[in-house]
Amino acid sequence: MYGGRVVEHGPVTEVLGDARHPYTRGLIRAIPRLTGDLSLARALPGRPPTLGTLPAQGCVFRERCERRMDVCETDDPAAVTRDGRTVACHATGRPLELVGREELV
Ligand code: SF4
């Protein structure tokens, strides 16, 4: 959930194992690991919006998103359900060469 909206929904093991929304992926990436390289945990850039400062149009996550595109500035992404997973993101399912951003790790 981000900015008062569900951005990804699905079975817990599937979402944790293969998160599709950039916010979900960022949250998982920020979890500190107890083993291995501790520097791999990375916090999401920026700060979450307050409900009184949500943008009037576009994706509410765009200021923090590494995959944002021009359409993210103007169009609120619809939640799309595919294979039992629901994601609200313009980039989800698009080939990375069209998105123009590196794949999140
Ligand atoms: S809709 Fe755009 S800004 Fe929002 S999460 Fe997806 S890629 Fe990022």
Side-chain angles (χ1 to χ4, degrees):
M1 188 159 198
Y2 190 83
R5 180 177 186 203
V6 175
V7 295
E8 182 162 3
H9 181 266
V12 172
T13 53
E14 291 182 28
V15 171
L16 293 179
D18 178 29
R20 296 177 180 172
H21 193 281
Y23 179 56
T24 314
R25 297 177 72 152
L27 289 177
I28 292 171
R29 201 173 51 211
I31 298 171
R33 309 283 185 235
L34 296 178
T35 59
D37 186 352
L38 297 178
S39 67
L40 291 178
R42 289 187 285 156
L44 283 162
R47 301 181 59 85
T50 60
L51 293 183
T53 61
L54 292 175
Q57 63 182 25
C59 176
V60 296
F61 185 63
R62 68 179 184 266
E63 297 301 324
R64 309 177 75 189
C65 184
E66 296 178 3
R67 298 187 74 180
R68 68 182 172 272
M69 303 169 282
D70 289 345
V71 67
C72 305
E73 301 291 330
T74 55
D75 296 357
D76 191 17
V80 175
T81 301
R82 187 182 311 153
D83 301 328
R85 303 276 301 275
T86 302
V87 181
C89 174
H90 293 300
T92 299
R94 290 175 61 118
L96 289 174
E97 59 272 19
L98 295 179
V99 174
R101 303 277 176 167
E102 290 185 18
E103 177 64 85
L104 300 177
V105 180

